[in-house]
């Protein structure tokens, strides 16, 4: 009997080689598996849950968009109504219409109150002022000069200054005139108060002493150069709008009040002339302006 041949070194059968040819994970590589792998049940549930979450998120986004669009529409609608109402109101407000009685009165007061600034100095103190002399003869006083604007307290006596300051006096304007015969010198002072109510209150507190009032203004080289506080023969005032118009008069020759004996009567034309000049200037300042009938002029 022959000895058994050794199989060492002979090629192995194809089946044996296939069985031993395995990958590192232990699965064979020689043939494909005929068993189909199915997804696990847990993986399917996770997929369905993910899809439901995505659908819910999408639906929430749709709802949010609808809310946003609705709010945006409301805001646009409200804004349009506001703009429309504002436009209608502006048109109604700016449209020319007749002035009410209250508006007409306010227009007059404001126009009068700004004249002391709006007018030139020669408008407040005209170069010539008409007055009535003896036998009511019409005469003209001539302006000698206009003093610089000053504080109220510096243009009047101390007792008058306190009253003016307490009622909000803004400034004092003064000018000096001489009568037609150049015998009398008259200084007119315009105290500018805040408004007509302040002027009325101040007038109620002013003293009736004819020795105090506006301080005279003398201009060197003119007939008024000797006119000072001691030369004042009489003083007075009149109210007009927001203005208190003071007047004081004396003789051009420099006579003082103390120099005239009590029994001697002042010249009959001196004080009437001074008072008339002050009244004329007050009338110019407070003369009611012509009020336009409509808010935008003469056409409503």
């Amino acid at each position: 009997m022959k000895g058994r041949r050794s199989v060492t070194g002979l090629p192995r059968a194809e089946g044996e080689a296939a069985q031993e040819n395995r990958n590192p994970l232990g699965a064979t590589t020689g043939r494909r598996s005929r068993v189909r792998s199915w997804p696990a049940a847990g993986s399917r549930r996770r997929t369905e849950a993910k899809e439901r979450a995505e659908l819910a998120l999408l639906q929430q986004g749709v709802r949010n968009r609808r809310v946003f669009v609705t709010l945006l529409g409301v805001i646009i609608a409200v804004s349009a109504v506001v703009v429309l109402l504002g436009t209608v109101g502006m048109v109604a407000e700016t449209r020319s219409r007749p002035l009410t009685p209250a508006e007409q009165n306010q227009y007059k007061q404001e126009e009068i109150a700004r004249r002391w600034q709006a007018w030139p100095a020669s408008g407040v103190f005209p170069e010539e002022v008409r007055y009535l002399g003896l036998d009511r003869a019409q005469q003209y006083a001539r302006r000698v000069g206009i003093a610089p604007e000053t504080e109220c307290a510096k243009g009047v006596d101390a007792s008058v200054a306190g009253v003016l300051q307490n009622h909000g006096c803004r400034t004092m304007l003064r000018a000096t005139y001489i009568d037609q015969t150049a015998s009398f010198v008259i200084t007119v002072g315009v105290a500018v108060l805040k408004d007509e109510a302040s002027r009325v209150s101040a007038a109620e507190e002013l003293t009736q002493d004819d020795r105090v009032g506006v301080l005279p203004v003398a201009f060197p080289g003119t007939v008024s150069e000797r006119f000072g506080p001691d030369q004042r023969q009489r003083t007075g005032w009149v109210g007009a709008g927001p203005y208190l118009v003071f007047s004081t008069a004396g003789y051009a020759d420099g006579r003082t009040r103390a120099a005239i004996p009590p029994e001697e009567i002042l010249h009959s034309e001196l004080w009437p002339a001074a008072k008339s000049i002050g009244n004329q200037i007050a009338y110019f300042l407070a003369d009611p302006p012509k009020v336009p009938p409509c808010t935008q002029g003469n056409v409503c």
Side-chain angles (χ1 to χ4, degrees):
M1 187 175 182
K2 297 180 179 181
R4 181 174 298 179
R5 181 181 292 183
S6 174
V7 295
T8 303
L10 295 179
R12 293 182 180 183
E14 182 176 356
E16 294 177 356
Q19 291 177 359
E20 293 178 0
N21 189 15
R22 299 176 181 274
N23 62 21
L25 297 178
T28 60
T29 60
R31 63 178 63 177
R32 295 180 180 176
S33 176
R34 296 175 179 265
V35 181
R36 178 180 294 178
S37 60
W38 294 92
S43 176
R44 181 182 301 171
R45 286 194 296 270
R46 286 195 298 271
T47 302
E48 292 176 352
K50 181 178 179 182
E51 291 177 351
R52 287 195 299 271
E54 291 177 349
L55 179 61
L57 184 62
L58 179 61
Q59 292 174 344
Q60 181 65 32
V62 172
R63 287 194 296 270
N64 292 342
R65 183 178 182 277
R66 289 174 180 173
V67 173
F68 173 77
V69 171
T70 302
L71 290 177
L72 183 61
V74 172
I75 293 173
I76 293 175
V78 172
S79 300
V81 171
V82 171
V83 171
L84 179 61
L85 292 177
T87 303
V88 172
M90 183 178 65
V91 171
E93 183 65 24
T94 57
R95 178 172 51 87
S96 183
R97 58 174 177 78
L99 290 173
T100 64
E103 290 172 333
Q104 292 178 357
N105 185 56
Q106 182 180 0
Y107 178 92
K108 293 177 182 179
Q109 291 181 351
E110 291 177 352
E111 171 65 23
I112 292 172
R114 60 172 169 259
R115 283 177 175 171
W116 72 275
Q117 285 181 310
W119 287 2
S122 58
V124 178
F125 300 114
E127 186 175 353
E128 288 187 343
V129 178
R130 184 176 61 184
Y131 69 95
L132 297 177
L134 292 176
D135 299 327
R136 302 188 62 81
Q138 181 173 292
Q139 300 188 37
Y140 291 89
R142 181 171 57 85
R143 189 187 69 216
V144 178
I146 300 175
E149 181 180 337
T150 187
E151 298 176 9
C152 296
K154 295 181 179 180
V156 294
D157 292 291
S159 59
V160 179
V163 175
L164 296 182
Q165 288 180 321
N166 290 338
H167 291 277
C169 184
R170 293 179 173 179
T171 191
M172 173 68 71
L173 313 175
R174 291 180 296 170
T176 297
Y177 289 83
I178 58 172
D179 73 318
Q180 188 164 307
T181 65
S183 300
F184 314 128
V185 184
I186 303 102
T187 291
V188 178
V190 177
V192 182
L193 283 89
K194 294 187 299 183
D195 49 38
E196 188 170 354
S198 299
R199 187 268 299 169
V200 172
S201 299
E204 292 175 351
E205 297 183 22
L206 285 177
T207 177
Q208 297 299 321
D209 188 352
D210 66 358
R211 295 170 298 177
V212 296
V214 65
L215 297 176
V217 180
F219 293 89
T222 69
V223 295
S224 68
E225 62 182 354
R226 288 182 288 179
F227 186 42
D230 293 336
Q231 282 71 36
R232 292 180 296 179
Q233 301 297 322
R234 190 173 179 182
T235 64
W237 53 266
V238 62
Y243 309 108
L244 278 171
V245 182
F246 293 87
S247 303
T248 186
Y251 293 106
D253 60 12
R255 277 179 286 176
T256 64
R257 178 167 176 150
I260 300 177
E263 64 274 10
E264 183 177 335
I265 301 175
L266 291 177
H267 193 287
S268 60
E269 197 174 4
L270 185 147
W271 182 241
K275 185 177 180 181
S276 179
I277 293 169
N279 289 345
Q280 284 290 319
I281 291 176
Y283 173 80
F284 297 151
L285 284 170
D287 184 29
K290 184 179 179 181
V291 181
C294 307
T295 55
Q296 296 184 6
N298 296 324
V299 179
C300 296

Coordinates of all heavy atoms in Angstrom, one line a residue, residues 23-75:
N23 N -12.9 39.0 6.1 CA -12.4 40.4 6.3 C -12.1 40.5 7.8 O -12.5 39.6 8.6 CB -13.4 41.4 5.9 CG -14.8 41.3 6.6 OD1 -14.8 40.7 7.6 ND2 -15.8 41.8 5.9
P24 N -11.5 41.6 8.2 CA -11.2 41.7 9.6 C -12.3 41.7 10.5 O -12.2 41.4 11.7 CB -10.5 43.1 9.7 CG -10.0 43.3 8.3 CD -10.9 42.7 7.4
L25 N -13.6 42.0 10.0 CA -14.7 42.0 10.9 C -15.4 40.6 11.0 O -16.3 40.4 11.7 CB -15.8 43.0 10.4 CG -15.3 44.4 10.4 CD1 -16.5 45.3 9.8 CD2 -14.9 44.9 11.8
G26 N -14.9 39.7 10.3 CA -15.3 38.3 10.4 C -16.3 37.9 9.3 O -16.7 36.8 9.2
A27 N -16.7 38.8 8.4 CA -17.7 38.4 7.4 C -17.0 37.9 6.1 O -15.9 38.4 5.8 CB -18.5 39.7 7.0
T28 N -17.6 37.1 5.5 CA -16.9 36.5 4.3 C -17.0 37.5 3.2 O -18.0 38.3 3.1 CB -17.6 35.2 3.9 OG1 -19.0 35.5 3.6 CG2 -17.5 34.1 5.0
T29 N -16.0 37.4 2.3 CA -16.0 38.4 1.1 C -16.1 37.7 -0.2 O -16.1 38.3 -1.2 CB -14.7 39.1 1.2 OG1 -13.6 38.2 1.1 CG2 -14.5 39.9 2.4
G30 N -16.2 36.4 -0.1 CA -16.3 35.7 -1.4 C -17.6 35.7 -2.1 O -17.7 35.7 -3.3
R31 N -18.7 35.8 -1.4 CA -20.0 35.8 -2.0 C -20.9 36.8 -1.3 O -20.7 37.1 -0.1 CB -20.7 34.4 -2.0 CG -20.9 33.9 -0.6 CD -21.6 32.5 -0.7 NE -20.7 31.6 -1.3 CZ -21.0 30.3 -1.5 NH1 -22.1 29.8 -1.0 NH2 -20.1 29.5 -2.1
R32 N -21.9 37.3 -2.0 CA -22.8 38.3 -1.4 C -23.9 37.6 -0.6 O -24.4 36.5 -1.0 CB -23.5 39.2 -2.5 CG -22.5 40.0 -3.3 CD -23.2 40.8 -4.3 NE -22.3 41.6 -5.1 CZ -22.6 42.4 -6.1 NH1 -23.9 42.4 -6.5 NH2 -21.7 43.1 -6.7
S33 N -24.4 38.3 0.4 CA -25.4 37.8 1.2 C -26.7 37.9 0.5 O -27.0 38.9 -0.1 CB -25.5 38.5 2.6 OG -26.6 38.0 3.3
R34 N -27.5 36.9 0.5 CA -28.8 36.9 -0.2 C -29.9 37.4 0.8 O -31.0 37.5 0.4 CB -29.2 35.5 -0.6 CG -28.2 34.9 -1.7 CD -28.6 33.5 -2.0 NE -27.7 33.0 -3.0 CZ -28.0 33.0 -4.3 NH1 -29.2 33.4 -4.7 NH2 -27.2 32.5 -5.2
V35 N -29.6 37.8 2.0 CA -30.6 38.2 3.0 C -30.7 39.7 3.0 O -29.7 40.4 3.1 CB -30.3 37.7 4.4 CG1 -31.3 38.2 5.4 CG2 -30.1 36.2 4.5
R36 N -32.0 40.3 2.7 CA -32.2 41.7 2.6 C -32.3 42.3 4.1 O -33.0 41.7 4.9 CB -33.5 42.0 1.9 CG -33.8 43.5 1.8 CD -35.1 43.8 1.1 NE -34.9 43.4 -0.3 CZ -35.9 43.5 -1.2 NH1 -37.1 43.9 -0.9 NH2 -35.7 43.2 -2.5
S37 N -31.6 43.4 4.3 CA -31.6 44.0 5.6 C -32.8 45.0 5.7 O -32.9 45.9 4.8 CB -30.3 44.7 5.9 OG -30.0 45.7 5.0
W38 N -33.6 44.9 6.7 CA -34.8 45.8 6.8 C -34.5 46.8 8.0 O -33.8 46.5 8.9 CB -36.0 45.0 7.2 CG -36.5 44.1 6.1 CD1 -36.1 42.8 5.9 CD2 -37.3 44.5 5.1 NE1 -36.7 42.3 4.8 CE2 -37.5 43.3 4.2 CE3 -38.0 45.6 4.7 CZ2 -38.2 43.3 3.1 CZ3 -38.8 45.6 3.6 CH2 -38.9 44.4 2.8
P39 N -35.0 48.1 7.8 CA -34.7 49.1 8.9 C -35.4 48.7 10.1 O -36.5 48.1 10.1 CB -35.3 50.4 8.3 CG -36.3 50.0 7.3 CD -35.8 48.7 6.7
A40 N -34.8 49.0 11.2 CA -35.3 48.7 12.5 C -36.6 49.5 12.8 O -36.8 50.6 12.2 CB -34.3 48.9 13.6
A41 N -37.5 49.0 13.6 CA -38.7 49.7 14.0 C -38.4 51.0 14.6 O -39.1 52.0 14.4 CB -39.6 48.8 14.9
G42 N -37.4 51.1 15.5 CA -37.1 52.4 16.1 C -36.7 53.5 15.2 O -37.0 54.7 15.3
S43 N -35.9 53.1 14.1 CA -35.5 54.1 13.1 C -36.7 54.6 12.4 O -36.8 55.8 12.1 CB -34.5 53.4 12.1 OG -34.2 54.3 11.1
R44 N -37.7 53.8 12.1 CA -38.9 54.3 11.4 C -39.7 55.3 12.2 O -40.1 56.3 11.8 CB -39.8 53.1 11.1 CG -41.1 53.4 10.3 CD -41.9 52.2 10.1 NE -41.1 51.2 9.3 CZ -41.6 50.0 9.1 NH1 -42.7 49.6 9.6 NH2 -40.8 49.1 8.4
R45 N -39.8 55.0 13.5 CA -40.5 55.9 14.4 C -39.8 57.3 14.5 O -40.4 58.3 14.6 CB -40.6 55.3 15.8 CG -41.7 54.2 15.9 CD -42.0 53.8 17.3 NE -40.9 53.3 18.0 CZ -40.6 52.0 18.1 NH1 -41.3 51.1 17.4 NH2 -39.5 51.6 18.7
R46 N -38.4 57.2 14.5 CA -37.7 58.4 14.6 C -37.9 59.3 13.3 O -38.1 60.5 13.4 CB -36.2 58.2 14.8 CG -35.9 57.7 16.2 CD -34.4 57.8 16.4 NE -33.6 56.9 15.5 CZ -33.3 55.6 15.8 NH1 -33.8 55.1 16.9 NH2 -32.7 54.9 14.9
T47 N -38.0 58.6 12.2 CA -38.2 59.3 10.9 C -39.6 60.0 10.9 O -39.8 61.1 10.5 CB -38.1 58.3 9.8 OG1 -36.7 57.8 9.8 CG2 -38.3 59.1 8.4
E48 N -40.6 59.2 11.4 CA -41.9 59.7 11.4 C -42.0 60.9 12.4 O -42.7 61.9 12.1 CB -42.9 58.6 11.8 CG -43.1 57.5 10.7 CD -44.0 56.4 11.2 OE1 -44.3 56.4 12.4 OE2 -44.3 55.5 10.4
A49 N -41.4 60.8 13.5 CA -41.4 61.9 14.5 C -40.7 63.2 13.9 O -41.2 64.3 14.1 CB -40.7 61.5 15.8
K50 N -39.6 62.9 13.2 CA -38.9 64.1 12.6 C -39.8 64.7 11.6 O -39.9 66.0 11.5 CB -37.6 63.6 12.0 CG -36.8 64.7 11.3 CD -35.5 64.1 10.8 CE -34.7 65.2 10.1 NZ -33.5 64.7 9.5
E51 N -40.5 63.9 10.8 CA -41.4 64.5 9.8 C -42.5 65.3 10.4 O -42.9 66.3 9.9 CB -41.9 63.4 8.9 CG -40.9 62.7 8.0 CD -41.4 61.6 7.2 OE1 -42.6 61.2 7.5 OE2 -40.7 61.1 6.3
R52 N -43.1 64.7 11.5 CA -44.2 65.4 12.2 C -43.7 66.7 12.8 O -44.4 67.8 12.7 CB -44.8 64.5 13.3 CG -45.6 63.4 12.8 CD -46.4 62.8 13.9 NE -45.6 62.3 15.0 CZ -45.1 61.0 15.0 NH1 -45.4 60.2 14.0 NH2 -44.4 60.6 16.0
A53 N -42.5 66.7 13.3 CA -41.9 68.0 13.9 C -41.7 69.0 12.8 O -42.0 70.2 13.0 CB -40.6 67.7 14.6
E54 N -41.2 68.5 11.6 CA -41.0 69.5 10.5 C -42.3 70.1 10.0 O -42.4 71.2 9.7 CB -40.2 68.8 9.4 CG -38.8 68.4 9.7 CD -38.1 67.7 8.6 OE1 -38.8 67.3 7.7 OE2 -36.9 67.5 8.7
L55 N -43.3 69.2 10.0 CA -44.7 69.7 9.5 C -45.2 70.7 10.5 O -45.8 71.7 10.1 CB -45.6 68.5 9.4 CG -47.0 68.8 8.9 CD1 -47.0 69.5 7.6 CD2 -47.9 67.5 8.9
A56 N -45.1 70.4 11.8 CA -45.6 71.3 12.9 C -44.9 72.6 12.8 O -45.5 73.7 12.9 CB -45.4 70.7 14.3
L57 N -43.5 72.6 12.6 CA -42.8 73.8 12.5 C -43.2 74.6 11.2 O -43.3 75.9 11.3 CB -41.3 73.5 12.4 CG -40.3 74.7 12.4 CD1 -40.4 75.4 13.7 CD2 -38.9 74.2 12.2
L58 N -43.5 73.9 10.2 CA -43.9 74.6 9.0 C -45.3 75.3 9.2 O -45.5 76.4 8.8 CB -44.0 73.6 7.8 CG -44.5 74.2 6.4 CD1 -43.6 75.3 5.9 CD2 -44.6 73.0 5.4
Q59 N -46.2 74.5 9.8 CA -47.5 75.1 10.1 C -47.4 76.3 11.0 O -48.1 77.3 10.9 CB -48.4 74.0 10.7 CG -48.8 72.9 9.7 CD -49.6 71.8 10.4 OE1 -49.6 71.7 11.6 NE2 -50.2 70.9 9.6
Q60 N -46.5 76.2 12.0 CA -46.3 77.3 13.0 C -45.8 78.6 12.2 O -46.2 79.7 12.4 CB -45.4 77.0 14.1 CG -45.1 78.1 15.1 CD -46.4 78.4 15.9 OE1 -47.2 77.5 16.1 NE2 -46.5 79.7 16.2
G61 N -44.9 78.3 11.3 CA -44.4 79.4 10.5 C -45.4 80.1 9.6 O -45.5 81.3 9.5
V62 N -46.3 79.2 9.1 CA -47.5 79.8 8.3 C -48.4 80.6 9.1 O -48.8 81.7 8.7 CB -48.3 78.6 7.6 CG1 -49.5 79.1 6.9 CG2 -47.4 77.9 6.6
R63 N -48.7 80.1 10.4 CA -49.5 80.9 11.3 C -48.8 82.2 11.7 O -49.5 83.3 11.7 CB -49.8 80.1 12.5 CG -50.8 79.0 12.3 CD -51.4 78.4 13.6 NE -50.3 77.8 14.4 CZ -50.0 76.5 14.3 NH1 -50.6 75.7 13.4 NH2 -49.0 76.0 15.0
N64 N -47.5 82.2 12.0 CA -46.8 83.4 12.3 C -46.8 84.4 11.2 O -46.9 85.6 11.3 CB -45.4 83.1 12.7 CG -45.3 82.3 14.0 OD1 -46.3 82.3 14.8 ND2 -44.2 81.7 14.3
R65 N -46.6 83.9 10.0 CA -46.7 84.8 8.8 C -48.0 85.4 8.6 O -48.1 86.6 8.3 CB -46.3 84.0 7.5 CG -46.2 84.8 6.3 CD -45.8 84.0 5.1 NE -45.7 84.8 3.9 CZ -46.7 85.2 3.1 NH1 -47.9 84.8 3.4 NH2 -46.5 85.9 2.0
R66 N -49.1 84.7 8.9 CA -50.4 85.3 8.8 C -50.6 86.4 9.8 O -51.2 87.4 9.5 CB -51.5 84.2 8.9 CG -51.6 83.2 7.8 CD -52.5 82.1 8.1 NE -52.6 81.1 6.9 CZ -53.3 80.0 7.0 NH1 -53.9 79.6 8.1 NH2 -53.3 79.2 5.9
V67 N -50.2 86.1 11.0 CA -50.3 87.1 12.1 C -49.5 88.3 11.7 O -49.9 89.5 11.9 CB -49.8 86.5 13.5 CG1 -49.7 87.6 14.5 CG2 -50.7 85.4 13.9
F68 N -48.3 88.1 11.2 CA -47.4 89.3 10.9 C -48.1 90.1 9.8 O -48.1 91.3 9.8 CB -46.0 88.8 10.4 CG -45.2 89.8 9.8 CD1 -44.5 90.7 10.7 CD2 -45.0 90.0 8.5 CE1 -43.7 91.7 10.2 CE2 -44.2 90.9 7.9 CZ -43.5 91.8 8.8
V69 N -48.6 89.4 8.7 CA -49.2 90.1 7.6 C -50.5 90.9 8.1 O -50.7 92.0 7.7 CB -49.6 89.1 6.5 CG1 -50.5 89.8 5.5 CG2 -48.4 88.5 5.9
T70 N -51.2 90.3 9.0 CA -52.4 90.9 9.6 C -52.0 92.2 10.4 O -52.6 93.3 10.2 CB -53.2 90.0 10.5 OG1 -53.6 88.8 9.8 CG2 -54.4 90.7 11.0
L71 N -51.0 92.0 11.3 CA -50.5 93.2 12.0 C -50.0 94.3 11.1 O -50.3 95.5 11.3 CB -49.5 92.8 13.0 CG -49.9 91.9 14.2 CD1 -48.7 91.5 15.1 CD2 -50.9 92.7 15.0
L72 N -49.2 93.9 10.1 CA -48.7 94.9 9.2 C -49.8 95.6 8.5 O -49.8 96.9 8.3 CB -47.8 94.2 8.2 CG -47.1 95.1 7.2 CD1 -46.2 96.1 7.9 CD2 -46.3 94.3 6.2
G73 N -50.9 94.9 8.1 CA -52.0 95.5 7.4 C -52.7 96.5 8.4 O -53.1 97.6 7.9
V74 N -52.9 96.1 9.6 CA -53.5 97.0 10.6 C -52.7 98.3 10.8 O -53.2 99.4 10.8 CB -53.7 96.3 12.0 CG1 -54.2 97.3 13.0 CG2 -54.7 95.2 11.8
I75 N -51.4 98.1 10.9 CA -50.5 99.3 11.1 C -50.6 100.2 9.9 O -50.7 101.4 10.0 CB -49.0 98.8 11.3 CG1 -48.9 98.1 12.7 CG2 -48.1 100.0 11.3 CD1 -47.6 97.5 12.9

